[in-house]
């Protein structure tokens, strides 16, 4: 089922993860919080406008790149990258900056 922008989820919405998984880049860019989506290999598959503005990185420069070794290097540690690698489906706020 395609998602729409008529009702954007908030960060603490219980339906956020399914919405994020179905949303395209245009919808992700409407969100008032950052979104970085990674595939199981840890490569960036989505990077929204909010995250881009805060991090100072253009989506075109990070898409497809290994997140923990080239984009979010500060997260390349057991607390962040280790947790991502250990959980088959991570749906969590990684409050680490």
């Amino acid at each position: 089922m395609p998602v729409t922008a008529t009702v954007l989820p908030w960060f603490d919405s219980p339906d956020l993860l399914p919405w994020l998984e179905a949303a395209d880049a245009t919808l992700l860019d409407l969100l008032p919080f950052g979104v970085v989506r990674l595939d199981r290999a840890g490569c960036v598959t989505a990077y929204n406008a909010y995250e881009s503005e805060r991090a100072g990185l253009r989506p075109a420069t990070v898409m497809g790149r290994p997140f923990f070794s080239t984009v979010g290097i500060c997260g390349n540690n057991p607390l962040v990258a280790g947790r991502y690698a250990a959980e088959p489906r991570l749906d969590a706020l990684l409050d680490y900056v």
Side-chain angles (χ1 to χ4, degrees):
M1 178 175 172
V3 297
T4 66
T6 55
V7 178
L8 294 173
W10 185 239
F11 196 77
D12 60 357
S13 169
D15 298 324
L16 179 61
L17 183 60
W19 191 94
L20 290 173
E21 290 174 334
D24 64 14
T26 302
L27 288 175
L28 293 176
D29 284 344
L30 298 174
L31 294 170
F33 52 85
V35 173
V36 180
R37 183 186 301 146
L38 308 179
D39 62 17
R40 289 306 311 154
C43 295
V44 178
T45 61
Y47 197 81
N48 77 340
Y50 187 99
E51 185 67 25
S52 175
E53 291 166 12
R54 286 354 177 245
L57 300 171
R58 293 180 306 123
T61 65
V62 301
M63 292 298 290
R65 295 183 65 193
F67 182 77
F68 295 112
S69 63
T70 63
V71 180
I73 298 169
C74 66
N76 195 6
N77 61 63
L79 294 174
V80 181
R83 183 170 176 195
Y84 179 81
E87 296 188 33
R89 185 173 187 214
L90 183 59
D91 175 20
L93 164 63
L94 296 177
D95 190 16
Y96 184 86
V97 175

